Amino acid sequence: METIFALASAQGRAGVAVIRISGPNALSTAKTLMHSLPKDRVAGLRSLFDGSGALLDKALVFCFAGPNSFTGEDVVEFHLHGSIAVVQAVMKELSNRPSVRLAEPGEFTRRALENGRMDLAQVEGLADLIESETEAQRVQALKTVSGHLGDLVEGWRSSLIRSASLIEATIDFVDEDVPVDVSPEVRRILQSVRDELVREIEGSHVAERIRLGFEIAIIGPPNAGKSTLLNALAGRDVAITSDIAGTTRDVIEVRMDLNGLPVTFLDTAGLREGQDTVEQIGIDRALDRAKQADLRVVLAKDGQDFGLELTDDDIVVAPKADLTGQGISGLTGRGVEGLLKRVQTTLSKRSSTAGLATHERHRVAMTETHSVLLTVLPLIDRGPEHYDIAAEELRTAVRSLEALIGRIDVENLLDEIFASFCLGK
């Protein structure tokens, strides 16, 4: 295994910059830059020198002997003054050492996975944590990084292995001292796992929306004040407004942090019969995005129909309160705060059902496992002559769960996952 190094903090000028080294030669390489290494896991102030003995910087140095480190290997961290020149000088000096090389994106985390310090779900959670912009995203990502999803999946896996063992014992060792009728216990175990899978699959849809952000479409007829409302929500002019019907032709997006929840408001074209080809394209796009949105804010008078089936959660308000005295107005701000509270209440209620699984890949693996259990339970009820098929099906389910946490069959996913990481991770 090669020894790697990289800047682990952000690029550019900062108060402190962190350079990380990991691998079998991490400690020996670090020692060539200073007179002595600090004790393991104890910060030490050290002067760093180049090959000619010139001072590079004074830094706090941390040593972490493997396997008790982030990567599971020997790791050294230099906490330098955050000058661009200082970082470049130390990086250049490390690059001159024959025993180390610059890390590839995500290589530190990949080594943590390969060395058993993290499972694949935790890796994805770490990527989500780095990308998190709101409190809800941070809290959700931390649960995954902390291993909660991995623990849940491991519990399911153990239960399925236990069930398969009971079945196989009945098949192979009928003359031994084993229970003859294992079906009640197996059925109880499998039904429990099945119920937990259903809850987690349902919760994964909301969890994924928290990770990616909820989409809220503002829809209504032309000149209902949709673009003006979007500008009021954004606090700046992001959409062109005018009294000319059909001004908005494309979907305009504004991302916001709504009391910790990530949301994207969509300003859409006014819904009517298009007056020209371009406007009709905009209207078609508006309808499409509105149908896919998690929530819709409808600026309309009572009884107006836009060809959309609204849900009980969708918010219908009267437009242009600056003229009518009722409803909402982006121009004066009337009703905007109340609208935001209604949106927040609706999405907070949905978020309370979020599960631990946050990616489509997780949902696919859980759905495959659930489908297998739906096949196995009837086989158990049919009796021992079907146990061999049931045992094989359970092994398939176990493999699906193992793929979820990265134990098997995920090599083709790793390059894509780690490509999103920075060099220092």
Side-chain angles (χ1 to χ4, degrees):
M1 183 69 72
E2 295 176 292
T3 300
I4 57 175
F5 73 93
L7 177 66
S9 53
Q11 296 281 349
R13 186 179 295 106
V16 176
V18 179
I19 292 178
R20 176 182 291 159
I21 313 173
S22 179
N25 297 319
L27 297 175
S28 59
T29 298
K31 192 172 181 179
T32 64
L33 275 69
M34 63 193 78
H35 296 307
S36 64
L37 293 175
K39 293 181 180 179
D40 188 50
R41 310 181 76 82
V42 177
L45 182 63
R46 294 291 187 273
S47 295
L48 306 183
F49 302 94
D50 65 15
S52 65
L55 181 65
L56 294 170
D57 191 26
K58 288 190 174 182
L60 278 178
V61 180
F62 295 82
C63 298
F64 303 92
N68 299 315
S69 69
F70 173 69
T71 62
E73 306 169 335
D74 289 343
V75 172
V76 179
E77 290 184 356
F78 301 141
H79 292 235
L80 310 161
H81 293 98
S83 157
I84 295 175
V86 168
V87 171
Q88 288 178 341
V90 175
M91 294 282 283
K92 180 180 179 180
E93 193 62 28
L94 287 172
S95 65
N96 290 333
R97 298 294 191 273
S99 57
V100 297
R101 64 166 174 81
L102 186 66
E104 297 175 357
E107 190 168 4
F108 288 94
T109 307
R110 185 163 187 162
R111 291 191 178 194
L113 173 67
E114 293 171 346
N115 292 325
R117 300 294 292 174
M118 306 177 76
D119 62 40
L120 190 57
Q122 287 177 293
V123 169
E124 291 168 314
L126 179 58
D128 293 340
L129 182 62
I130 293 170
E131 295 293 326
S132 64
E133 298 177 343
T134 70
E135 179 65 8
Q137 290 173 325
R138 181 191 69 83
V139 170
Q140 179 172 268
L142 275 176
K143 290 180 182 178
T144 310
V145 173
S146 300
H148 294 341
L149 178 58
D151 293 341
L152 182 62
V153 172
E154 187 59 41
W156 294 336
R157 176 180 174 275
S158 297
S159 294
L160 297 188
I161 290 175
R162 165 69 177 166
S163 298
S165 299
L166 288 171
I167 293 172
E168 290 171 344
T170 302
I171 296 171
D172 298 331
F173 304 105
V174 291
D175 296 329
E176 303 294 330
D177 187 17
V178 296
V180 175
D181 185 9
V182 299
S183 59
E185 181 176 358
V186 171
R187 188 183 302 107
R188 176 182 56 80
I189 294 173
L190 297 185
Q191 287 175 341
S192 176
V193 174
R194 181 198 60 189
D195 293 343
E196 291 181 16
L197 280 166
V198 169
R199 286 194 297 271
E200 194 59 38
I201 292 169
E202 291 175 350
S204 69
H205 293 280
V206 177
E208 188 172 23
R209 298 318 302 163
I210 293 175
R211 180 174 69 86
L212 298 175
F214 292 96
E215 285 197 348
I216 304 167
I218 304 173
I219 64 173
N223 286 335
K226 299 183 296 299
S227 297
T228 303
L229 176 59
L230 183 72
N231 290 341
L233 293 171
R236 64 186 191 279
D237 290 338
V238 294
I240 298 173
T241 61
S242 78
D243 294 331
I244 303 173
T247 298
T248 300
R249 299 296 182 96
D250 207 348
V251 178
I252 300 173
E253 304 182 3
V254 172
R255 291 181 62 86
M256 293 178 58
D257 181 342
L258 187 58
N259 199 28
L261 291 172
V263 299
T264 300
F265 282 96
L266 310 175
D267 178 26
T268 62
L271 301 182
R272 65 171 184 174
E273 288 296 326
Q275 302 301 302
D276 56 60
T277 302
V278 175
E279 183 186 0
Q280 188 59 52
I281 291 173
I283 293 170
D284 292 341
R285 288 182 179 180
L287 285 169
D288 184 58
R289 291 297 294 273
K291 290 175 181 177
Q292 297 179 39
D294 301 292
L295 183 64
R296 285 165 285 272
V297 174
V298 185
L299 302 186
K301 299 176 182 178
D302 292 339
Q304 283 185 292
D305 182 12
F306 303 111
L308 284 173
E309 183 178 347
L310 302 182
T311 69
D312 292 338
D313 286 338
D314 290 331
I315 300 170
V316 181
V317 291
K320 295 195 172 184
D322 52 292
L323 299 178
T324 65
Q326 295 182 340
I328 194 169
S329 170
L331 190 63
T332 65
R334 175 171 178 154
V336 173
E337 184 176 347
L339 172 64
L340 288 175
K341 287 182 179 179
R342 290 180 66 182
V343 170
Q344 179 188 329
T345 299
T346 300
L347 297 183
S348 295
K349 182 179 178 181
R350 293 187 191 180
S351 298
S352 66
T353 64
L356 294 172
T358 56
H359 290 253
E360 174 68 16
R361 187 183 69 82
H362 303 162
R363 185 161 52 249
V364 168
M366 292 188 300
T367 301
E368 289 175 351
T369 304
H370 179 258
S371 297
V372 170
L373 297 189
L374 293 181
T375 301
V376 170
L377 283 167
L379 292 175
I380 299 299
D381 293 336
R382 293 176 188 172
E385 63 272 19
H386 297 278
Y387 282 3
D388 54 343
I389 300 176
E392 181 58 34
E393 291 288 344
L394 286 176
R395 282 191 285 270
T396 300
V398 168
R399 286 193 291 271
S400 294
L401 294 178
E402 289 177 340
L404 194 161
I405 55 178
R407 289 195 177 191
I408 60 168
D409 297 336
V410 295
E411 199 62 34
N412 59 328
L413 291 172
L414 297 185
D415 290 340
E416 179 181 347
I417 290 173
F418 289 115
S420 65
F421 281 75
C422 61
L423 292 180
K425 277 294 182 182

